[in-house]
Amino acid sequence: MPERSGRHNLDPHLDRYAARTAGMTASEIRALFAVASRPEVVSLAGGMPNLAALPLDSLSAQMAELIAEDGLVALQYGSAQGIPVLREQICEIMALEGISAHADDVVVTVGSQMGLDMVTRIFCDPGDVVIAEGPSYVGALGSFAAYQAQVVHVAMDDDGLVPEALRDALAQAEKAGRRVKFLYTIPNFHNPAGVTLAVERRAEILAICREHGVLVVEDNPYGLLGFDGQTYPALRSLDPENVVYLGSFSKTFASGLRVGWVLAPHAVREKLVLAAESATLCPPTLNQLVVSRYLATHDWKGQIKTFRENYRERRDAILSALEQHMPAGCSWTRPDGGFYVWVTVPEGVDTKAMLPRAVTARVAYASGTGFYADGFGSRQMRVSYCYPTPERIREGVRRLAGVLESEMDLVRTFGNVSMKPISGPENPSPDTA
Amino acid sequence: MPERSGRHNLDPHLDRYAARTAGMTASEIRALFAVASRPEVVSLAGGMPNLAALPLDSLSAQMAELIAEDGLVALQYGSAQGIPVLREQICEIMALEGISAHADDVVVTVGSQMGLDMVTRIFCDPGDVVIAEGPSYVGALGSFAAYQAQVVHVAMDDDGLVPEALRDALAQAEKAGRRVKFLYTIPNFHNPAGVTLAVERRAEILAICREHGVLVVEDNPYGLLGFDGQTYPALRSLDPENVVYLGSFSKTFASGLRVGWVLAPHAVREKLVLAAESATLCPPTLNQLVVSRYLATHDWKGQIKTFRENYRERRDAILSALEQHMPAGCSWTRPDGGFYVWVTVPEGVDTKAMLPRAVTARVAYASGTGFYADGFGSRQMRVSYCYPTPERIREGVRRLAGVLESEMDLVRTFGNVSMKPISGPENPSPDTA
């Protein structure tokens, strides 16, 4: 391979990559999974749903039936938009959060990650701005980076995205002549912040976006996992023409099937189908039929209730353990649903620098920096309670508190152990979250 | 929604789309599927594999076993690269075409369409040139368009891609200061051309690409479907460091599972995994385990032999029917494997304009223009023999010949019925194919 530049690099293809590829680096969370997956480590790092409560015996029988009865359909190509019966069922699910939609406006995707990727593909040119909560979902940041969109983070508090901060961010972007394409938001049981957008803020957020001519992309994988069975009106239900909605079966049924969806205004839906066609031709037919049969024949609402109860028990375990063990000066959010608690540690402690020491102490978490597009979040960490047992969660928090104590001792003795900036103009502090 | 431009359009989001989205239009083939799927129409248009020979009973039992024994793995997230055991098995399959590879350099994708999309994502900036055979796979053209790459078509003959034409195209692109990123080629049983790259041309094609510093992307979904059981040495086997190889289970097992793969030089593989992570997080675990178990427990080579025999019977049917029915002045390729025959009709006939009349006569095909990035191919059509029964194929060709006869009558009476240019500087004629 001829090297066409003077640079020395082990990759002979280096000069060939697209500009977007330069920004592709392994997410911190991904790098973490490898170490954190050793059995002696209590992982509070991942976002894997706990599937133990799934009825494997009946799923097994149902899968057998599906192939025997409908195998030639299940194993064949389907349409890029997804099979109609599943799209109808998806509309029934969305109705639980107040959405009135037509199956024709639903596109089935390979997980809602693909939905995110397709939405970014059709809307974002390089340099376009996406507004997102700070912190935000790491996979969304990955998709935005892949299309060279610039992320501007907006602050949250215990009631979710702060309308005034959104207004300011939009005004500032307009003033700077930047093109804002959409607000990306996770209104319910936020990943990683663990907070929920207050119902009384929803109309205001939507009005601000309309006012500024900015689309809203609502990502809602956890909406049905409210621990008291509570649901909130989807943003989509309040403004059908200006909201693109992303849904997923990963947290309410099975993540390994990779079945998610996008609900979009009609014209946008048409573009999404075309984009999806060039991305994967069609989502796997088998997986769509598995989900469709499951919805038709199982008590799927009962199953979600069981999931919710499992997660609530774990949420209770983590909150009481944090209360019991964490050193003074730490604060954290108190989720009413979903998978995550967002912890802020005292000034001087760098959660990214601390992580290797935590893993040595047999506990893992996700450091806050992964959830910002620009390295902010070094005083934060995400601890997830979705997967381990309550006992393991308590033990993990005990270990984590021990690591933090030692780290804080170091800081008291030697001053700040990290030299990172802890704030910046586009990085509103999530301390309030 | 405020309209920010003076344009009138039914889509209120029109001003928001990315530049790439403007180029997204429904492929002609896709538009066709809707009409051609009526049962009275013999469709020679689609590329759906004929799955009737699959052992559904044992697949059904195996699927049940998989969920019962390994359900919590099958239904859970996996790694972005794909499960290791399947990647090992994929290496064994590739060895059949002379490839010596390590499982660590394989990335499992949601069909090889996703592989194509990821390869284009990491390599192509807007305006970069991709060299492709003329005609080329419609799904590849869709991915290239999605990343705003420019396609330069290179002529084929009965022995596939013409080395001299490739050399000329590269020289011309260099002279024009254009950045060529890769050659995209389907060496075996080409879609849509039905030809195979002669073995003695392979080293030459590779040498030309190396000489010009251009990567080769080898797409090989049909390689094991040679009607005499023949295989050809993969381009990847001859130049491991400069070839990215795309494989698929869609034609050798089941398309509805959407399991394909990319084999890439190590550094490129790492970029592909990062790109795939932001596209779908991970390929569906269930589908990977289904394929892996199938390969481990079924006589998969015997199954491919059965598929091959079914397709050979259909190929024989279509070639003899073409011979018997087609009017003078038509020519076509004679595939030794795969799914497709590429037909050239007499001057003056426009296959795209003729298509609605063909569908009225209850036969469908894919007009040639869909297989070019620039509207060339109006004198060509792809007829596929993969799906219908031999009887239906013969009936379809009989109907098609009738439509062509009428069309040629019109041309003789009134002159050319279309005013399309039938050639252009970057559009070498596929008449020789």
Side-chain angles (χ1 to χ4, degrees):
Chain A
M1 188 68 34
E3 287 267 347
R4 285 179 297 173
S5 86
R7 279 180 288 171
H8 289 86
N9 189 285
L10 291 174
D11 180 1
H13 303 281
L14 189 71
D15 291 340
R16 288 174 172 162
Y17 296 119
R20 72 175 68 82
T21 308
M24 290 181 188
T25 50
S27 81
E28 290 173 25
I29 294 192
R30 176 165 168 252
L32 200 78
F33 277 145
V35 270
S37 62
R38 295 198 309 254
E40 71 274 18
V41 175
V42 175
S43 179
L44 307 174
M48 291 205 303
N50 193 319
L51 304 178
L54 278 177
L56 290 187
D57 284 353
S58 61
L59 284 174
S60 163
Q62 191 184 297
M63 207 87 90
E65 219 176 81
L66 169 62
I67 296 298
E69 289 171 9
D70 216 10
L72 293 186
V73 173
L75 299 170
Q76 185 61 273
Y77 289 122
S79 85
Q81 189 175 354
I83 60 173
V85 56
L86 177 61
R87 288 189 276 113
E88 300 279 1
Q89 291 166 311
I90 284 170
C91 289
E92 287 165 38
I93 293 170
M94 292 190 294
L96 297 177
E97 295 176 89
I99 294 175
S100 157
H102 194 281
D104 198 37
D105 293 335
V106 173
V107 184
V108 179
T109 53
V110 182
S112 69
Q113 182 70 35
M114 179 179 164
L116 249 172
D117 200 77
M118 293 299 102
V119 168
T120 314
R121 178 180 295 205
I122 68 165
F123 284 113
C124 290
D125 285 312
D128 282 352
V129 170
V130 171
I131 305 268
E133 285 120 358
S136 187
Y137 167 53
V138 64
L141 299 181
S143 271
F144 302 152
Y147 292 96
Q148 299 163 272
Q150 305 291 319
V151 174
V152 171
H153 289 293
V154 169
M156 288 183 278
D157 60 20
D158 283 342
D159 287 330
L161 191 67
V162 178
E164 209 41 59
L166 173 63
R167 217 185 288 274
D168 288 351
L170 286 167
Q172 213 172 316
E174 278 167 16
K175 212 171 129 191
R178 304 178 74 183
R179 217 173 158 211
V180 180
K181 282 302 174 67
F182 54 78
L183 164 68
Y184 168 72
T185 179
I186 307 168
N188 303 319
F189 319 124
H190 191 273
N191 176 8
V195 300
T196 292
L197 182 63
V199 171
E200 55 277 16
R201 281 191 184 173
R202 298 189 176 213
E204 190 179 358
I205 297 285
L206 289 164
I208 295 170
C209 287
R210 270 196 171 264
E211 205 174 289
H212 289 267
V214 166
L215 191 73
V216 176
V217 176
E218 173 180 30
D219 191 2
N220 190 28
Y222 309 100
L224 299 180
L225 294 177
F227 296 140
D228 300 313
Q230 81 278 27
T231 56
Y232 305 96
L235 298 174
R236 168 53 169 75
S237 72
L238 305 172
D239 192 354
E241 277 311 306
N242 201 41
V243 176
V244 172
Y245 175 99
L246 305 175
S248 173
F249 289 104
S250 288
K251 277 79 182 185
T252 54
F253 178 27
S255 47
L257 295 174
R258 314 302 300 116
V259 181
W261 71 89
V262 186
L263 169 68
H266 201 75
V268 174
R269 187 277 288 162
E270 180 58 24
K271 299 290 185 193
L272 286 172
V273 171
L274 293 169
E277 203 168 33
S278 73
T280 65
L281 284 187
C282 62
T285 319
L286 173 70
N287 307 238
Q288 296 178 74
L289 291 177
V290 167
V291 173
S292 180
R293 282 207 173 208
Y294 171 78
L295 293 172
T297 61
H298 280 75
D299 173 18
W300 61 270
K301 287 184 193 172
Q303 181 64 51
I304 290 179
K305 190 160 176 283
T306 303
F307 281 140
R308 258 188 342 234
E309 282 161 4
N310 288 342
Y311 293 131
R312 184 175 52 198
E313 188 192 356
R314 287 165 168 77
R315 186 269 322 252
D316 291 344
I318 203 163
L319 287 184
S320 71
L322 286 166
E323 204 62 63
Q324 188 182 345
H325 298 296
M326 289 295 263
C330 298
S331 59
W332 53 88
T333 55
R334 282 161 185 81
D336 298 319
F339 285 11
Y340 309 107
V341 173
W342 184 245
V343 176
T344 299
V345 299
E347 206 169 330
V349 176
D350 181 328
T351 57
K352 192 173 168 185
M354 185 177 79
L355 186 53
R357 294 186 280 277
V359 172
T360 306
R362 292 167 300 131
V363 60
Y365 57 83
S367 76
T369 46
F371 303 96
Y372 286 87
D374 41 27
F376 189 74
S378 60
R379 262 186 65 198
Q380 279 75 31
M381 62 175 101
R382 186 188 77 179
V383 289
S384 47
Y385 49 85
C386 44
Y387 196 77
T389 59
E391 293 66 37
R392 294 271 287 170
I393 289 174
R394 278 187 283 267
E395 175 57 22
V397 170
R398 207 187 52 75
R399 293 175 189 172
L400 179 60
V403 174
L404 252 175
E405 294 273 18
S406 318
E407 203 78 1
M408 287 162 66
D409 269 352
L410 275 177
V411 173
R412 276 187 293 265
T413 312
F414 300 106
N416 279 16
V417 285
S418 94
M419 302 299 288
K420 300 227 166 174
I422 59 161
S423 167
E426 282 186 5
N427 303 297
S429 166
D431 292 0
T432 47
Chain B
M1 185 72 30
E3 285 267 349
R4 284 178 299 174
S5 86
R7 278 180 289 173
H8 288 87
N9 187 286
L10 291 174
D11 180 1
H13 304 280
L14 190 70
D15 291 338
R16 289 175 171 163
Y17 296 121
R20 70 176 68 82
T21 308
M24 292 182 188
T25 49
S27 82
E28 290 175 23
I29 294 192
R30 175 163 169 255
L32 199 78
F33 277 145
V35 269
S37 63
R38 296 198 307 254
E40 70 273 19
V41 176
V42 176
S43 177
L44 307 174
M48 290 206 302
N50 193 315
L51 303 178
L54 277 178
L56 290 187
D57 284 351
S58 60
L59 284 174
S60 163
Q62 192 184 293
M63 207 87 88
E65 221 174 80
L66 169 61
I67 295 300
E69 290 171 7
D70 216 10
L72 293 187
V73 173
L75 299 171
Q76 185 59 274
Y77 288 122
S79 85
Q81 188 173 356
I83 60 174
V85 55
L86 177 60
R87 289 189 276 115
E88 299 278 1
Q89 292 166 311
I90 284 170
C91 289
E92 287 165 35
I93 293 170
M94 293 191 292
L96 298 175
E97 295 176 89
I99 292 175
S100 157
H102 194 283
D104 198 38
D105 293 335
V106 173
V107 183
V108 179
T109 53
V110 181
S112 70
Q113 182 70 34
M114 178 180 165
L116 248 173
D117 200 75
M118 292 299 104
V119 168
T120 314
R121 178 180 296 207
I122 68 165
F123 284 113
C124 291
D125 285 312
D128 282 349
V129 170
V130 170
I131 305 267
E133 285 121 357
S136 188
Y137 166 53
V138 65
L141 299 181
S143 270
F144 303 152
Y147 294 95
Q148 297 164 276
Q150 305 289 321
V151 175
V152 172
H153 289 293
V154 169
M156 286 182 278
D157 61 20
D158 283 341
D159 288 329
L161 191 67
V162 179
E164 211 40 59
L166 173 62
R167 218 186 287 275
D168 289 350
L170 286 168
Q172 214 173 314
E174 279 168 16
K175 213 171 125 189
R178 303 178 72 183
R179 217 173 159 211
V180 180
K181 281 302 175 66
F182 55 78
L183 164 68
Y184 168 73
T185 178
I186 306 168
N188 304 319
F189 319 124
H190 191 274
N191 175 10
V195 301
T196 292
L197 183 62
V199 172
E200 55 278 14
R201 281 189 184 174
R202 299 190 176 213
E204 190 180 357
I205 297 285
L206 289 165
I208 294 169
C209 287
R210 270 196 170 264
E211 206 175 290
H212 290 266
V214 166
L215 191 72
V216 176
V217 176
E218 174 178 29
D219 191 4
N220 190 29
Y222 309 101
L224 299 180
L225 295 178
F227 296 139
D228 300 313
Q230 81 279 24
T231 55
Y232 305 95
L235 297 175
R236 167 54 171 74
S237 72
L238 306 172
D239 192 354
E241 277 312 306
N242 201 41
V243 176
V244 172
Y245 176 98
L246 305 175
S248 174
F249 289 105
S250 289
K251 277 80 182 186
T252 54
F253 178 26
S255 46
L257 296 175
R258 313 302 301 118
V259 181
W261 70 89
V262 186
L263 169 68
H266 201 75
V268 174
R269 185 277 287 162
E270 180 58 23
K271 299 291 185 193
L272 287 172
V273 171
L274 292 169
E277 203 168 34
S278 72
T280 66
L281 283 188
C282 63
T285 317
L286 173 71
N287 308 236
Q288 296 179 74
L289 291 178
V290 167
V291 173
S292 181
R293 282 206 173 209
Y294 171 79
L295 294 172
T297 60
H298 279 77
D299 174 17
W300 61 270
K301 288 184 192 172
Q303 181 64 49
I304 291 179
K305 189 161 177 282
T306 304
F307 280 139
R308 260 189 339 239
E309 283 162 3
N310 288 344
Y311 293 131
R312 184 173 54 199
E313 187 191 358
R314 287 165 167 78
R315 187 270 321 254
D316 291 344
I318 203 164
L319 287 184
S320 72
L322 287 165
E323 204 61 64
Q324 188 183 343
H325 298 294
M326 290 294 266
C330 297
S331 59
W332 52 90
T333 56
R334 283 163 184 80
D336 298 319
F339 286 10
Y340 309 107
V341 172
W342 184 245
V343 176
T344 300
V345 300
E347 206 170 328
V349 176
D350 181 328
T351 56
K352 191 173 168 183
M354 185 176 80
L355 187 53
R357 295 186 279 276
V359 173
T360 306
R362 293 168 298 128
V363 60
Y365 56 84
S367 76
T369 46
F371 303 97
Y372 286 87
D374 42 25
F376 190 74
S378 60
R379 261 185 65 197
Q380 279 75 32
M381 62 176 102
R382 187 187 76 177
V383 290
S384 47
Y385 49 84
C386 44
Y387 197 77
T389 60
E391 295 63 40
R392 294 270 288 172
I393 289 173
R394 279 187 283 267
E395 175 57 22
V397 171
R398 207 187 51 73
R399 293 175 189 172
L400 178 60
V403 175
L404 251 174
E405 294 274 19
S406 319
E407 202 78 2
M408 288 162 67
D409 269 354
L410 275 177
V411 173
R412 276 187 292 266
T413 312
F414 300 105
N416 280 17
V417 282
S418 95
M419 302 299 288
K420 299 229 166 178
I422 58 160
S423 168
E426 283 185 4
N427 304 298
S429 164
D431 293 359
T432 49

